[in-house]
Amino acid sequence: MATAPLLVLPGDTIDPSLIPTHRKQPLRLGPGLRHIPPSEIVPTVAGQLVVDPKKNSMWVEYNGGRYIPSTHDLVIGQVHRSAADLYYVNLSPYTANAALPHLAFEGATKKTRPQLLPGALIYARVTLANRHMDPELECVSSTTGKAEGLGPLTGGMAFDVSLGLARRLLMARNREEGRVEVLELLGAEGLAFETAVGRNGRVWVGSESTKTIVLVGRALKETDEGDLTVEQQRKLVKRLVKQLR
Amino acid sequence: MPREAEPSLNEKQFILQALQENLRLDGRQLDQYRPLELTFGDEYGVAQVSLGKTKVFAKASAEVTVPYTDRPLDGVFTIMTELSPMASPAFEVNRPNETEVLLSRLLEKTVRRSGALDTESLCLVAGQKCWSVRVDVHVLSHDGNVIDASCLAVVAALRHFRKSDTSMEGGVLTVYTPAEREPVPLGWLHSPFCVTWSFFGDEGETAVLDATRAEEQIRVGSCTISLNRHGEICQIAKLGGTPVEAVALLQCTSLALTKVKEFSTVLDRKLAEDSKRRDKSGRAAELTAENDR
Amino acid sequence: MPLDTSAYSLALLRVDGRRWNELRRIHAQIRTQAAADGSSYFEMGHTKVMCVVNGPSEPGPRRGGTAAAAPGGGQSKDAEVAVSIVVAGFSSVDRKRVGRGDKRILELQSTISSALTASLHTHLYPHSTINISLHVLSQDGSLLAALINAATLACVDAGIPMTDYVAACTAGSTSTYAANDESADPLLDLNHQEEQELPGLTVATLGDSDRVAVLVCESRVQVGRLEGMLAVGVDGCKQVREILDRVVREKGRRMLQEGTVEKGVGLDEMDMD
């Protein structure tokens, strides 16, 4: 990944030498790529092609546009309505709803499942996503049966950010790879808040103090809209915190 | 038609909670507008206004037509509004929804009925020929407070607009091209501006200016006040919603007057800048002398 | 075009002989239609309107076949107040047909719906519709005020729980917008002729509070005039509320005395000159 970023357009042919090979693990395709059997891989969006040889995976990074669900994404959804055994959850405005079964919560049974009102926010993982069906979500890990931080989000505020920023925030090493440090910086300034980042471009911020939430929201918005570097983010945080006090 | 996307319960509660603590999501004061931008196009009569992420485009144009039979001495003046799916998927082409009807009525009352444009000056030959001035308003992006932005765009476009010069000699009407004679501005009497207050809380006790889309979706009522800088009310529209104390409405009106004066100054300044930009060689001075004949 | 009302300053009497703070004759009835859940007839001078309320009931099929969006969708569970206004062709001097898409009528409908929604307890009737149908029989100014009053009465008759009456009336000022004379008097309850010539506004308040539900001003007026006009308007609304309350109480008393009053009785008492 040391080389210059490789940009691909929809329908480009991908140089076979770029496709990672691994003896044991199967090749995993992330968002923005499509496998056309038998052996062709075609990008479906314009963006930067990223290859991870260790995990034997590749995907296309892009910013903007509408969120297209893909499996294992963490998303913040808004409950639209409840049906007989599932909730219809909206991932982005004006798109088809995703389905979240009533029993896909930690320890949920017919009697103990959480009652969610229309408009409630939930943090969930996408379990099924393909082109011809509505996506499906879960709020519990199917292997361990634990929530692992997923579930209904109470209180707080959800902010809309670009898909690119949401992805960068979700990176394991978001400072080095994603160039976002704004949340850590705010935390270092002594603000107490918690966040949940949805890959669908929504960030939920919870805190006891309304002012803190507003401030975190503004910091995120400005980082996103100005595409700020780490250094600029530092300045921004300093400025905002000064205004607060 | 897709329904308008509603904000989640968390967002609704939080915005209300923040407003009670006099906080807004973008860090503004309750009576503060978002940054206002006003630009004119290369052509006369093209204006674009943006208030934060709300963008409105207005274009004025004129043509010679026959006046209405019941008003032979008046020109024709129409304002057309268009809220297209470009602004939000909830809007449809050619099917005006409530937002659009109220917007066009408000512009109509504010600009047309208040007599901002001197329609009598549009008359060329009584009962036979007159100018028909038309303003098209397109909402390019909808992030709340379309009314104030549209009104500003309409007024800016009309004041920027120049129509072709005409002359009457011996019963022959001549319309000159811009090359022959410099186009002339419209007969303009006063500049009205809209200021929209949004009310929040059970009794509408929190009044907020320049609401964003999310704030508009959870407000309990709104009141649009149109004024000009001379302190004349052109129109007030509090169309239902949660009742608000009469005294509060009076306060809103007097605050609106200060905002209108600010708008008025901004518009005057921008128009002056634009005419300076167009008149680099000082040609206009010569041509106005010609028009005096 | 403008008629001369300058005579006002001579005798302090208006064109129809009223003083500045006088309402026109108001006559109102409720329960006039047998077929409706609630109905009313309201006269304010020569402005005459009828109102019929049906519901709360299940929403019927929507225009344009968008019924699919309705069931359970969205967060709003409150009843919807649907208002339709029919302006009779013979209601004003010029027999002009008012089209269905007329923006002025649409605005009136939206205003009345929004004003009543704030007063009615719509949350008690989730996913239903309250249909309010208004018929304008005769127009002589203060149309919006008369429509609001009629709709309020009909909702009372329909037995829909509400916070308080929404009472409306108009107020004006004897000065035109240009004249900045300080001696101008505010006027209560404008008729058509005054509405044409003088600046005026329509106010609707909730109950006998000073809280304004509707405030519509469509004419140019100095900002200094507003306070006086609003004060007179709010005061007029209180008077109108008293009248509406009396009508409802009177009907209630009769219902108690005579058992139930059959719907539609009393229609013949209506003054349809």
Side-chain angles (χ1 to χ4, degrees), chain C residues 127-177:
Chain C
H127 310 304
S128 37
T129 311
I130 300 167
N131 281 304
I132 300 180
S133 171
L134 286 152
H135 297 256
V136 180
L137 306 178
S138 163
Q139 295 187 60
D140 185 24
S142 306
L143 178 63
L144 175 59
L147 289 171
I148 291 175
N149 292 332
T152 304
L153 279 180
C155 285
V156 170
D157 184 33
I160 304 167
M162 59 205 291
T163 348
D164 209 328
Y165 292 94
V166 183
C169 75
T170 53
S173 178
T174 48
S175 89
T176 55
Y177 68 88

Short mmCIF file of all heavy atoms in Angstrom, two decimals, chain C residues 127-177:
data_model
loop_
_atom_site.label_atom_id
_atom_site.label_comp_id
_atom_site.label_asym_id
_atom_site.label_seq_id
_atom_site.Cartn_x
_atom_site.Cartn_y
_atom_site.Cartn_z
N HIS C 127 -54.09 7.71 13.57
CA HIS C 127 -54.30 7.21 12.21
C HIS C 127 -55.72 7.45 11.71
O HIS C 127 -56.32 6.59 11.08
CB HIS C 127 -53.99 5.71 12.11
CG HIS C 127 -52.68 5.34 12.69
ND1 HIS C 127 -51.51 5.93 12.28
CD2 HIS C 127 -52.33 4.47 13.67
CE1 HIS C 127 -50.50 5.43 12.97
NE2 HIS C 127 -50.97 4.55 13.82
N SER C 128 -56.31 8.58 12.06
CA SER C 128 -57.64 8.83 11.50
C SER C 128 -57.71 10.23 10.93
O SER C 128 -56.77 11.02 11.04
CB SER C 128 -58.72 8.63 12.57
OG SER C 128 -58.26 9.08 13.80
N THR C 129 -58.82 10.52 10.31
CA THR C 129 -58.98 11.80 9.65
C THR C 129 -60.22 12.50 10.16
O THR C 129 -61.25 11.86 10.37
CB THR C 129 -59.12 11.60 8.13
OG1 THR C 129 -58.08 10.75 7.70
CG2 THR C 129 -59.02 12.92 7.40
N ILE C 130 -60.11 13.78 10.37
CA ILE C 130 -61.27 14.61 10.70
C ILE C 130 -61.53 15.46 9.47
O ILE C 130 -60.69 16.28 9.09
CB ILE C 130 -61.00 15.48 11.93
CG1 ILE C 130 -60.68 14.62 13.14
CG2 ILE C 130 -62.18 16.39 12.20
CD1 ILE C 130 -60.09 15.38 14.30
N ASN C 131 -62.66 15.24 8.83
CA ASN C 131 -62.96 15.98 7.60
C ASN C 131 -63.80 17.19 7.91
O ASN C 131 -64.90 17.07 8.46
CB ASN C 131 -63.71 15.09 6.62
CG ASN C 131 -62.76 14.15 5.92
OD1 ASN C 131 -61.81 14.61 5.29
ND2 ASN C 131 -63.00 12.86 6.06
N ILE C 132 -63.30 18.34 7.58
CA ILE C 132 -64.05 19.58 7.79
C ILE C 132 -64.36 20.15 6.42
O ILE C 132 -63.45 20.41 5.63
CB ILE C 132 -63.23 20.59 8.61
CG1 ILE C 132 -62.88 20.00 9.98
CG2 ILE C 132 -63.98 21.88 8.76
CD1 ILE C 132 -62.08 20.92 10.85
N SER C 133 -65.64 20.31 6.17
CA SER C 133 -66.03 20.83 4.87
C SER C 133 -66.74 22.16 5.07
O SER C 133 -67.72 22.25 5.80
CB SER C 133 -66.94 19.81 4.21
OG SER C 133 -67.50 20.37 3.07
N LEU C 134 -66.22 23.19 4.47
CA LEU C 134 -66.77 24.53 4.67
C LEU C 134 -67.40 25.03 3.38
O LEU C 134 -66.85 24.82 2.29
CB LEU C 134 -65.64 25.49 5.08
CG LEU C 134 -65.13 25.32 6.51
CD1 LEU C 134 -63.70 25.75 6.62
CD2 LEU C 134 -66.00 26.09 7.47
N HIS C 135 -68.54 25.67 3.52
CA HIS C 135 -69.23 26.20 2.34
C HIS C 135 -69.46 27.69 2.54
O HIS C 135 -70.06 28.09 3.53
CB HIS C 135 -70.57 25.50 2.14
CG HIS C 135 -70.41 24.04 1.86
ND1 HIS C 135 -70.54 23.51 0.61
CD2 HIS C 135 -70.07 23.03 2.68
CE1 HIS C 135 -70.31 22.22 0.67
NE2 HIS C 135 -70.02 21.90 1.93
N VAL C 136 -68.96 28.45 1.61
CA VAL C 136 -69.13 29.89 1.70
C VAL C 136 -70.39 30.26 0.92
O VAL C 136 -70.46 30.04 -0.29
CB VAL C 136 -67.91 30.62 1.12
CG1 VAL C 136 -68.10 32.12 1.21
CG2 VAL C 136 -66.65 30.19 1.83
N LEU C 137 -71.40 30.78 1.62
CA LEU C 137 -72.65 31.11 0.95
C LEU C 137 -72.69 32.56 0.53
O LEU C 137 -73.32 32.92 -0.45
CB LEU C 137 -73.84 30.82 1.88
CG LEU C 137 -73.88 29.41 2.44
CD1 LEU C 137 -75.06 29.26 3.37
CD2 LEU C 137 -73.96 28.40 1.32
N SER C 138 -72.04 33.41 1.32
CA SER C 138 -72.09 34.83 1.00
C SER C 138 -70.85 35.47 1.58
O SER C 138 -70.42 35.14 2.67
CB SER C 138 -73.37 35.41 1.62
OG SER C 138 -73.28 36.80 1.68
N GLN C 139 -70.25 36.36 0.81
CA GLN C 139 -69.00 36.98 1.25
C GLN C 139 -69.17 38.48 1.44
O GLN C 139 -69.63 39.16 0.55
CB GLN C 139 -67.91 36.80 0.20
CG GLN C 139 -67.50 35.38 -0.05
CD GLN C 139 -66.30 35.35 -0.98
OE1 GLN C 139 -65.25 35.89 -0.68
NE2 GLN C 139 -66.47 34.71 -2.13
N ASP C 140 -68.83 38.95 2.61
CA ASP C 140 -68.78 40.40 2.81
C ASP C 140 -67.64 40.72 3.78
O ASP C 140 -67.84 41.29 4.84
CB ASP C 140 -70.12 40.91 3.33
CG ASP C 140 -70.13 42.43 3.43
OD1 ASP C 140 -69.35 43.07 2.71
OD2 ASP C 140 -70.89 42.97 4.25
N GLY C 141 -66.47 40.30 3.44
CA GLY C 141 -65.31 40.59 4.28
C GLY C 141 -65.16 39.62 5.43
O GLY C 141 -66.08 38.86 5.76
N SER C 142 -64.00 39.61 6.05
CA SER C 142 -63.70 38.74 7.20
C SER C 142 -64.00 37.28 6.91
O SER C 142 -64.53 36.57 7.76
CB SER C 142 -64.46 39.18 8.44
OG SER C 142 -64.23 40.53 8.71
N LEU C 143 -63.66 36.84 5.72
CA LEU C 143 -64.02 35.47 5.33
C LEU C 143 -63.26 34.44 6.16
O LEU C 143 -63.87 33.51 6.70
CB LEU C 143 -63.72 35.27 3.84
CG LEU C 143 -64.01 33.87 3.32
CD1 LEU C 143 -65.48 33.55 3.44
CD2 LEU C 143 -63.56 33.70 1.89
N LEU C 144 -61.96 34.64 6.29
CA LEU C 144 -61.16 33.66 7.04
C LEU C 144 -61.65 33.56 8.48
O LEU C 144 -61.79 32.46 9.03
CB LEU C 144 -59.68 34.05 6.99
CG LEU C 144 -58.74 33.19 7.83
CD1 LEU C 144 -58.79 31.75 7.41
CD2 LEU C 144 -57.31 33.70 7.75
N ALA C 145 -61.97 34.71 9.08
CA ALA C 145 -62.44 34.70 10.46
C ALA C 145 -63.74 33.90 10.57
O ALA C 145 -63.90 33.06 11.46
CB ALA C 145 -62.65 36.13 10.94
N ALA C 146 -64.66 34.14 9.65
CA ALA C 146 -65.94 33.43 9.69
C ALA C 146 -65.73 31.93 9.51
O ALA C 146 -66.37 31.11 10.18
CB ALA C 146 -66.87 33.97 8.62
N LEU C 147 -64.81 31.57 8.61
CA LEU C 147 -64.56 30.15 8.36
C LEU C 147 -64.00 29.47 9.61
O LEU C 147 -64.40 28.36 9.96
CB LEU C 147 -63.57 30.00 7.20
CG LEU C 147 -64.10 30.35 5.81
CD1 LEU C 147 -62.96 30.37 4.80
CD2 LEU C 147 -65.15 29.36 5.38
N ILE C 148 -63.09 30.17 10.28
CA ILE C 148 -62.49 29.58 11.48
C ILE C 148 -63.55 29.40 12.56
O ILE C 148 -63.65 28.34 13.20
CB ILE C 148 -61.33 30.46 12.00
CG1 ILE C 148 -60.16 30.40 11.02
CG2 ILE C 148 -60.88 30.01 13.38
CD1 ILE C 148 -59.01 31.32 11.38
N ASN C 149 -64.38 30.43 12.75
CA ASN C 149 -65.43 30.34 13.78
C ASN C 149 -66.40 29.20 13.48
O ASN C 149 -66.78 28.44 14.37
CB ASN C 149 -66.18 31.66 13.87
CG ASN C 149 -65.31 32.77 14.41
OD1 ASN C 149 -64.37 32.51 15.16
ND2 ASN C 149 -65.59 33.99 14.03
N ALA C 150 -66.80 29.10 12.21
CA ALA C 150 -67.73 28.04 11.84
C ALA C 150 -67.11 26.67 12.08
O ALA C 150 -67.77 25.77 12.60
CB ALA C 150 -68.14 28.20 10.38
N ALA C 151 -65.84 26.53 11.71
CA ALA C 151 -65.18 25.23 11.88
C ALA C 151 -65.07 24.88 13.36
O ALA C 151 -65.28 23.73 13.75
CB ALA C 151 -63.80 25.27 11.24
N THR C 152 -64.78 25.88 14.20
CA THR C 152 -64.69 25.63 15.63
C THR C 152 -66.03 25.13 16.16
O THR C 152 -66.10 24.13 16.88
CB THR C 152 -64.31 26.91 16.37
OG1 THR C 152 -63.11 27.40 15.82
CG2 THR C 152 -64.12 26.66 17.84
N LEU C 153 -67.10 25.83 15.80
CA LEU C 153 -68.42 25.43 16.28
C LEU C 153 -68.77 24.02 15.84
O LEU C 153 -69.28 23.22 16.63
CB LEU C 153 -69.48 26.41 15.75
CG LEU C 153 -69.63 27.71 16.51
CD1 LEU C 153 -70.70 28.56 15.84
CD2 LEU C 153 -70.01 27.45 17.96
N ALA C 154 -68.47 23.71 14.59
CA ALA C 154 -68.82 22.39 14.09
C ALA C 154 -68.02 21.30 14.80
O ALA C 154 -68.53 20.21 15.06
CB ALA C 154 -68.58 22.32 12.59
N CYS C 155 -66.77 21.61 15.13
CA CYS C 155 -65.97 20.63 15.87
C CYS C 155 -66.52 20.43 17.28
O CYS C 155 -66.52 19.31 17.81
CB CYS C 155 -64.51 21.07 15.95
SG CYS C 155 -63.64 20.86 14.42
N VAL C 156 -67.01 21.50 17.89
CA VAL C 156 -67.64 21.37 19.20
C VAL C 156 -68.86 20.47 19.09
O VAL C 156 -69.08 19.57 19.89
CB VAL C 156 -68.05 22.76 19.74
CG1 VAL C 156 -68.90 22.62 20.98
CG2 VAL C 156 -66.81 23.59 20.03
N ASP C 157 -69.64 20.71 18.03
CA ASP C 157 -70.85 19.92 17.84
C ASP C 157 -70.51 18.46 17.59
O ASP C 157 -71.23 17.56 18.04
CB ASP C 157 -71.65 20.49 16.66
CG ASP C 157 -72.95 19.77 16.47
OD1 ASP C 157 -73.52 19.33 17.50
OD2 ASP C 157 -73.40 19.63 15.33
N ALA C 158 -69.41 18.22 16.89
CA ALA C 158 -69.03 16.83 16.60
C ALA C 158 -68.48 16.14 17.85
O ALA C 158 -68.25 14.94 17.82
CB ALA C 158 -67.99 16.81 15.49
N GLY C 159 -68.28 16.89 18.91
CA GLY C 159 -67.81 16.29 20.15
C GLY C 159 -66.35 15.88 20.11
O GLY C 159 -65.95 14.96 20.81
N ILE C 160 -65.55 16.54 19.33
CA ILE C 160 -64.11 16.24 19.29
C ILE C 160 -63.45 17.02 20.43
O ILE C 160 -63.62 18.23 20.51
CB ILE C 160 -63.51 16.65 17.94
CG1 ILE C 160 -64.27 15.96 16.81
CG2 ILE C 160 -62.04 16.28 17.88
CD1 ILE C 160 -63.98 16.51 15.45
N PRO C 161 -62.73 16.34 21.31
CA PRO C 161 -62.13 17.06 22.44
C PRO C 161 -61.17 18.14 21.95
O PRO C 161 -60.38 17.92 21.04
CB PRO C 161 -61.35 15.97 23.18
CG PRO C 161 -61.87 14.70 22.69
CD PRO C 161 -62.40 14.93 21.33
N MET C 162 -61.30 19.31 22.55
CA MET C 162 -60.41 20.39 22.16
C MET C 162 -60.04 21.22 23.38
O MET C 162 -60.75 21.23 24.38
CB MET C 162 -61.02 21.25 21.05
CG MET C 162 -62.34 21.89 21.38
SD MET C 162 -63.30 22.25 19.90
CE MET C 162 -62.31 23.53 19.18
N THR C 163 -58.89 21.92 23.29
CA THR C 163 -58.43 22.72 24.42
C THR C 163 -59.39 23.86 24.70
O THR C 163 -59.78 24.09 25.84
CB THR C 163 -57.05 23.32 24.10
OG1 THR C 163 -56.54 22.70 22.95
CG2 THR C 163 -56.11 23.17 25.24
N ASP C 164 -59.73 24.59 23.67
CA ASP C 164 -60.61 25.73 23.86
C ASP C 164 -61.12 26.17 22.49
O ASP C 164 -60.70 25.64 21.47
CB ASP C 164 -59.84 26.87 24.53
CG ASP C 164 -60.76 27.75 25.37
OD1 ASP C 164 -61.93 27.89 24.97
OD2 ASP C 164 -60.30 28.28 26.39
N TYR C 165 -62.03 27.13 22.50
CA TYR C 165 -62.51 27.67 21.23
C TYR C 165 -61.37 28.37 20.49
O TYR C 165 -60.55 29.04 21.12
CB TYR C 165 -63.58 28.72 21.46
CG TYR C 165 -64.86 28.21 22.04
CD1 TYR C 165 -65.08 28.23 23.40
CD2 TYR C 165 -65.87 27.74 21.20
CE1 TYR C 165 -66.26 27.77 23.94
CE2 TYR C 165 -67.05 27.28 21.72
CZ TYR C 165 -67.25 27.29 23.10
OH TYR C 165 -68.43 26.85 23.62
N VAL C 166 -61.36 28.23 19.18
CA VAL C 166 -60.50 29.09 18.38
C VAL C 166 -61.43 30.13 17.78
O VAL C 166 -62.23 29.83 16.90
CB VAL C 166 -59.78 28.30 17.26
CG1 VAL C 166 -58.85 29.22 16.50
CG2 VAL C 166 -59.01 27.16 17.84
N ALA C 167 -61.38 31.34 18.30
CA ALA C 167 -62.29 32.39 17.85
C ALA C 167 -61.50 33.39 17.03
O ALA C 167 -60.36 33.70 17.35
CB ALA C 167 -62.92 33.07 19.04
N ALA C 168 -62.11 33.88 15.96
CA ALA C 168 -61.38 34.77 15.06
C ALA C 168 -62.20 35.99 14.70
O ALA C 168 -63.43 35.95 14.71
CB ALA C 168 -61.00 34.02 13.79
N CYS C 169 -61.52 37.08 14.43
CA CYS C 169 -62.18 38.23 13.84
C CYS C 169 -61.11 39.09 13.15
O CYS C 169 -59.94 38.77 13.19
CB CYS C 169 -62.96 39.03 14.87
SG CYS C 169 -61.92 40.00 15.94
N THR C 170 -61.55 40.17 12.52
CA THR C 170 -60.59 41.01 11.80
C THR C 170 -60.47 42.35 12.49
O THR C 170 -61.35 42.77 13.24
CB THR C 170 -61.01 41.25 10.35
OG1 THR C 170 -62.35 41.74 10.37
CG2 THR C 170 -60.94 40.00 9.54
N ALA C 171 -59.36 43.01 12.22
CA ALA C 171 -59.18 44.37 12.71
C ALA C 171 -58.50 45.17 11.62
O ALA C 171 -57.76 44.62 10.81
CB ALA C 171 -58.32 44.37 13.97
N GLY C 172 -58.75 46.46 11.62
CA GLY C 172 -58.15 47.31 10.59
C GLY C 172 -57.73 48.63 11.19
O GLY C 172 -57.74 48.82 12.40
N SER C 173 -57.33 49.50 10.31
CA SER C 173 -56.90 50.81 10.77
C SER C 173 -57.41 51.84 9.77
O SER C 173 -57.45 51.58 8.57
CB SER C 173 -55.39 50.85 10.85
OG SER C 173 -54.97 52.11 11.25
N THR C 174 -57.81 53.02 10.29
CA THR C 174 -58.38 54.01 9.37
C THR C 174 -57.34 54.70 8.51
O THR C 174 -57.67 55.37 7.57
CB THR C 174 -59.15 55.10 10.14
OG1 THR C 174 -58.30 55.54 11.19
CG2 THR C 174 -60.44 54.58 10.69
N SER C 175 -56.07 54.52 8.85
CA SER C 175 -55.07 55.22 8.04
C SER C 175 -54.60 54.30 6.94
O SER C 175 -54.55 53.09 7.09
CB SER C 175 -53.88 55.62 8.89
OG SER C 175 -52.94 54.59 8.91
N THR C 176 -54.25 54.88 5.81
CA THR C 176 -53.64 54.07 4.76
C THR C 176 -52.16 53.96 5.07
O THR C 176 -51.65 54.60 5.97
CB THR C 176 -53.83 54.73 3.39
OG1 THR C 176 -53.30 56.05 3.48
CG2 THR C 176 -55.28 54.78 3.01
N TYR C 177 -51.46 53.11 4.30
CA TYR C 177 -50.07 52.86 4.67
C TYR C 177 -49.21 54.10 4.48
O TYR C 177 -48.23 54.31 5.17
CB TYR C 177 -49.50 51.70 3.85
CG TYR C 177 -49.34 51.95 2.39
CD1 TYR C 177 -48.17 52.51 1.90
CD2 TYR C 177 -50.35 51.63 1.50
CE1 TYR C 177 -48.02 52.74 0.56
CE2 TYR C 177 -50.21 51.87 0.17
CZ TYR C 177 -49.04 52.42 -0.31
OH TYR C 177 -48.88 52.65 -1.64
#
